[in-house]
Amino acid sequence: MAHYSGHRAPPEVPAHFKNLFTDGKLGDDDDIVDSNNNANNNNNNNNDQENRPDNANSDCQTVCWIFGYGSLCWYPGFTYTKCITGYIRGYVRRFWQGNVTHRGTEDAPGRVATLVEDKEGITWGCAYRITGSTALEYLKQRECTLGGYATLDAKFFPRVASHDTPFSGEALEVLVYVATPENSHWLGDAPLEIIAHQIANSRGPSGHNAEYLLRLALFMHEEIPGVRDEHLFELERLLLEEIYRKEIPLSSVMGRNPDRIRRDSHEDVRRPPSFEFTSRIPDTKLRCLNI
């Protein structure tokens, strides 16, 4: 049975993260893209979201990793130097957190993802390598002040291990933002049909609540094919049914396409062909023609 242990929001990022990974990093220093290379890369591909270093940060500043499992998977909103896909253990993803500042309003709160403790659970997402305090301050405002999330640390397991990196598939410590029942936006568990209905009928300053869920599901389908997230994928199915039943154009809820994020750049990943989505194609009877 998934449950919370009652993490309470600390006043700031845990103290031990101030000295986290000062000399540890995934890949070589050459992976950090300077501002001149960024300009050239942007000219070559305007749709890519490059790994941009913060020019205001110096080499002596702390490096840490942030784990994203919700909107951070497709819209980080901050400067980072690397993004890798992987998972953490001991938690499952649930749409139990309310939201009134981004994907809903006070009158019609939206629902966004949080993590619920489950000793057998695994949650897939991506980790961002950041330097300095700028991104942490941004996330503190976005996730804690406005979103009602608290911080905790967890072990992150990269999906792709590179033989020439310090980690080679071993776990690294990441900072995670988690909503708990103690925060004022908490909505908790409900039948999936009710959750899907609420998401289909919520919109906030950042866009429609449906976009949040559908882009997260798209991240899972495209970046980690073959991995099943039953809670997320069942909500995706129910939500699409609700949208189609109400004859709501999908384009009206999806908003502008976000920039593409370059993930797992530390290894050339060659993915085998996947037939995951063929099950969604309806069966069609073929008629033979005498020609």
Side-chain angles (χ1 to χ4, degrees), residues 2 90-94 114-118 120-123 229:
Y91 295 90
V92 291
R93 179 169 26 222
R94 294 291 183 264
T114 186
L115 296 180
V116 176
E117 289 186 16
D118 185 330
E120 302 296 331
I122 290 179
T123 298
D229 186 323

Side-chain angles (χ1 to χ4, degrees), residues 13-14 16-28 31-32 51 62-68 72 78-86 88 126-132 135-136 139 151-158 160 165-167 170-177 262-266:
V13 173
H16 68 280
F17 272 94
K18 295 179 180 179
N19 299 318
L20 177 64
F21 291 123
T22 53
D23 58 354
K25 47 186 175 289
L26 188 66
D28 300 326
D31 290 335
I32 298 179
N51 301 332
T62 302
V63 172
C64 71
W65 292 84
I66 304 294
F67 178 65
L72 292 182
F78 54 83
T79 297
Y80 59 94
T81 56
K82 187 172 289 295
C83 178
I84 56 177
T85 55
I88 64 173
C126 54
Y128 295 94
R129 182 178 182 266
I130 63 174
T131 304
L136 288 176
L139 288 168
T151 53
L152 56 84
D153 57 293
K155 295 292 186 181
F156 174 83
F157 298 85
V160 178
T165 63
F167 298 119
E170 297 178 2
L172 59 145
E173 197 167 8
V174 292
L175 181 67
V176 189
Y177 293 87
R262 185 185 177 206
R263 302 182 178 93
D264 297 326
S265 59
H266 59 290

Side-chain angles (χ1 to χ4, degrees), residues 260-274:
R260 187 168 65 87
I261 298 174
R262 185 185 177 206
R263 302 182 178 93
D264 297 326
S265 59
H266 59 290
E267 181 140 319
D268 182 16
V269 182
R270 294 178 178 268
R271 295 174 183 156
S274 172

Side-chain angles (χ1 to χ4, degrees), residues 159 218-228 233 270-281:
R159 180 177 64 92
L218 184 63
F219 160 80
M220 290 292 295
H221 293 314
E222 291 186 343
E223 296 294 331
I224 317 173
V227 173
R228 295 291 301 173
F233 292 164
R270 294 178 178 268
R271 295 174 183 156
S274 172
F275 299 95
E276 176 187 358
F277 301 105
T278 57
S279 62
R280 302 183 182 185
I281 302 176

Side-chain angles (χ1 to χ4, degrees), residues 58-249:
S58 63
D59 293 337
C60 64
Q61 287 183 311
T62 302
V63 172
C64 71
W65 292 84
I66 304 294
F67 178 65
Y69 57 90
S71 60
L72 292 182
C73 290
W74 54 272
Y75 183 71
F78 54 83
T79 297
Y80 59 94
T81 56
K82 187 172 289 295
C83 178
I84 56 177
T85 55
Y87 62 89
I88 64 173
R89 296 172 177 168
Y91 295 90
V92 291
R93 179 169 26 222
R94 294 291 183 264
F95 276 73
W96 291 1
Q97 172 69 352
N99 187 271
V100 300
T101 55
H102 294 293
R103 299 291 171 173
T105 63
E106 293 287 350
D107 295 331
R111 277 186 179 260
V112 292
T114 186
L115 296 180
V116 176
E117 289 186 16
D118 185 330
K119 64 180 181 179
E120 302 296 331
I122 290 179
T123 298
W124 287 83
C126 54
Y128 295 94
R129 182 178 182 266
I130 63 174
T131 304
S133 61
T134 303
L136 288 176
E137 289 300 320
Y138 166 78
L139 288 168
K140 182 179 179 181
Q141 175 72 11
R142 169 176 166 175
E143 304 295 336
C144 301
T145 304
L146 297 178
Y149 287 72
T151 53
L152 56 84
D153 57 293
K155 295 292 186 181
F156 174 83
F157 298 85
R159 180 177 64 92
V160 178
S162 179
H163 68 279
D164 59 351
T165 63
F167 298 119
S168 300
E170 297 178 2
L172 59 145
E173 197 167 8
V174 292
L175 181 67
V176 189
Y177 293 87
V178 177
T180 67
E182 286 78 16
N183 83 89
S184 60
H185 303 303
W186 181 259
L187 295 178
D189 194 7
L192 293 184
E193 292 80 5
I194 300 299
I195 295 177
H197 176 80
Q198 187 172 357
I199 293 173
N201 292 278
S202 297
R203 180 187 291 271
S206 296
H208 202 289
N209 199 181
E211 179 186 24
Y212 179 105
L213 187 147
L214 294 177
R215 290 202 185 278
L216 178 56
L218 184 63
F219 160 80
M220 290 292 295
H221 293 314
E222 291 186 343
E223 296 294 331
I224 317 173
V227 173
R228 295 291 301 173
D229 186 323
E230 297 299 335
H231 179 83
L232 174 62
F233 292 164
E234 180 63 12
L235 279 177
E236 178 193 24
R237 183 186 69 81
L238 293 170
L239 176 61
L240 289 174
E241 287 182 355
E242 180 91 2
I243 290 175
Y244 294 148
R245 183 167 57 250
K246 291 179 174 292
E247 298 183 349
I248 301 173

